[in-house]
Amino acid sequence: AARLGLGRAVVTVALERLQRDGRVVEGEFRPAGSPGGPGGDPEWCDVEVLRRIRRRSLAALRKEVEPVEPAAYGRFLPAWQNAGAGLRGLDGIATVVDQLSGVPSPASAWEPLVLASRVGNYAPAMLDELMATGEVLWSGAGALPGNDGWICLHLAETADLTLNPQPDFEPSVLQYELLNALAGGAPGQLGGAYFFRQLADALAAAGTSAADADLVTALWELVWAGRIGNDTFAPVRALLPGGTTAHRQRPATPRARTAGFRRAGRLGRLPGAGALAAGTAGGTPVRGAPALAGGRWSLLPAVGPDATVRAHAAAGLLLDRYGVVTRGAGGAEGVPGGFALMYKVLARLEEMGRCRRGYFIEHLGAAQFAVPATVDRLRSFARDTQLQPEPAAPAAVALAATDPANPYGAALPWPAVEGGHRPGRKAGALVILVDGELALYVERGGKTLLTFTEEPEALAQCARALVDVIRRGAADKLAVEKVNGEPVLDTELARALAGAGFYTTPRGLRFRS
């Protein structure tokens, strides 16, 4: 108004008209304390000029960030995801589930390797309590060879954004009847959660009869297709012992039974025990559910219909899960649309000021996104030789190879190794990081190992971490025969394993919990 010699009201009306046309925007654009800054007259800016200012400001911010070495990210990511049993109790489990919502992991790895490594006092009853109260639910994401499969955990309140059922699944006749029963499709029937026997009775009432074994098989096929879930993790635990799983676990202790059940069990071995056992249950024969079908089954929540909302939620989860989202991390997640879609969403979030794009980690390209506060924490994991002339003893972290806290094979490439075979993010494999660098790779079954260091202290740390994993219940025993394609006996690794408690056999080294 002063420059053009016009009245303030005339200028205001003209600016508001331009704002309606999308040519100018109103806001606070200059720093506080500057002439005409916040607290003074309203500020107006041309839309294209504002975009140009934003782009130059973001470019200046990117130049201020010095990238860290990949090993710093290897130290950062496990700490970022609380690997190292830094959490406690039900709140700790909820925190883990929140950060890992929708991430598929082998069923045999979830409790002994993923949850127990993050929650110091983890017990299976804690997870069951969160599921019974409706705060956490689980879903299947495909079967694995043997008695195993991919399982995802979700927070119930955001499950519609993290569930990802198989789109091409076609249910059989029996599976369709099960889905119909769980949805309350029968006359006079309400949808909800049903015990195994209630489902069997509902199918029988609808004219469909099936043997228990066929019904259990149909339920688990619906689980792996991502259609149904359960209010307890007990069926998943029952699936694992006594079969071939990705991570061979220590056999579970049999559940204690009450005196009434023990009495009925003894009666079952006597002539005429059927009538007596029925009498102990008030005259009604007790029909228990198979262990693989315990708990109450129900349909999983429907997936959110808005693809844009789901894409933005996925981008937010990636930022929260990895701290720094790279092309490799986005590809390892298997997000619908791939990293190309995530890049567009993250770029939009950058324009909104909710994240920043830059070159945060060396050798990973410029397509990296992070929240500014996360970048500051990442830089705290960088090694400064001038400030730390004598670094502390390296710490070892043992993880499942598929664990999101393992950056190798996702954000970071696998290191080169001589002999043996190439490592991979395979179900059943383990990795051990020492000071952020990959030091040991344990192939599924434990017979073959790959080492990426010859430092005796680092190998000793790996051996102790491997023993801790076995004692934690992730495996019953381990028999190592080869390392980097050669016999393990008479190697530096063999000496480290023997020092940690392994004993020598003619073929290698063994450890039994």
Side-chain angles (χ1 to χ4, degrees), residues 24-177:
V24 300
V25 290
E26 181 185 9
E28 296 179 353
F29 306 110
R30 289 181 286 187
S34 62
D41 291 337
E43 294 184 339
W44 299 81
C45 186
D46 182 273
V47 171
E48 290 302 323
V49 171
L50 182 59
R51 288 191 182 128
R52 198 154 60 242
I53 291 172
R54 246 182 214 154
R55 286 195 296 268
R56 293 181 180 179
S57 299
L58 291 172
L61 287 172
R62 294 186 196 115
K63 290 181 181 179
E64 293 176 2
V65 180
E66 182 180 352
V68 300
E69 71 278 10
Y73 187 64
R75 293 187 288 271
F76 161 83
L77 187 57
W80 178 258
Q81 294 192 14
N82 300 290
L87 301 174
R88 307 282 295 180
L90 295 177
D91 290 340
I93 297 175
T95 299
V96 175
V97 175
D98 185 18
Q99 193 174 46
L100 303 185
S101 291
V103 173
S105 184
S108 55
W110 262 114
E111 293 193 288
L113 289 171
V114 178
L115 293 174
S117 68
R118 291 163 167 82
V119 183
N121 62 339
Y122 177 78
M126 295 179 178
L127 182 61
D128 288 341
E129 181 176 343
L130 290 175
M131 291 181 175
T133 56
E135 297 179 56
V136 172
L137 54 87
W138 62 271
S139 66
L144 284 169
N147 294 30
D148 210 344
W150 298 101
I151 295 289
C152 305
L153 299 183
H154 313 263
L155 288 182
E157 60 184 356
T158 57
D160 61 323
L161 300 175
T162 58
L163 284 166
N164 190 25
Q166 295 181 8
D168 55 350
F169 174 72
E170 291 292 338
S172 64
V173 175
L174 179 56
Q175 292 165 359
Y176 179 81
E177 292 296 333

Side-chain angles (χ1 to χ4, degrees), residues 325-494:
V325 180
T326 64
R327 181 177 299 275
E333 282 277 326
V335 179
F339 186 72
L341 174 61
M342 284 297 101
Y343 185 90
K344 295 179 181 178
V345 176
L346 290 166
R348 178 59 181 155
L349 293 178
E350 182 193 21
E351 291 181 1
M352 297 166 61
R354 294 175 57 184
C355 70
R356 183 187 298 177
R357 179 168 63 91
Y359 188 49
F360 308 122
I361 307 169
E362 288 181 338
H363 313 308
L364 299 187
Q368 304 176 32
F369 295 85
V371 176
T374 305
V375 177
D376 294 337
R377 185 173 177 187
L378 171 64
R379 291 182 57 77
S380 71
F381 285 83
R383 289 282 186 254
D384 191 332
T385 55
Q386 294 180 349
L387 297 179
Q388 296 178 344
E390 297 182 1
V397 180
L399 303 165
T402 56
D403 194 318
N406 169 32
Y408 292 94
L412 303 180
W414 294 106
V417 60
E418 294 183 5
H421 50 82
R422 291 285 300 171
R425 296 179 70 90
K426 305 171 186 176
L430 298 173
V431 296
I432 300 181
L433 314 183
V434 177
D435 200 29
E437 297 184 353
L438 181 63
L440 190 67
Y441 179 88
V442 184
E443 188 58 86
R444 175 175 177 168
K447 290 186 177 181
T448 304
L449 276 63
L450 298 175
T451 58
F452 301 87
T453 179
E454 292 297 331
E455 293 292 330
E457 178 58 29
L459 292 175
Q461 290 272 23
C462 291
R464 288 193 288 269
L466 195 56
V467 168
D468 289 341
V469 167
I470 300 172
R471 287 175 174 163
R472 202 163 62 213
D476 181 34
K477 59 184 177 181
L478 200 65
V480 180
E481 296 181 3
K482 291 187 176 182
V483 55
N484 293 4
E486 301 293 334
V488 68
L489 293 176
D490 198 26
T491 63
E492 192 65 42
L493 178 62

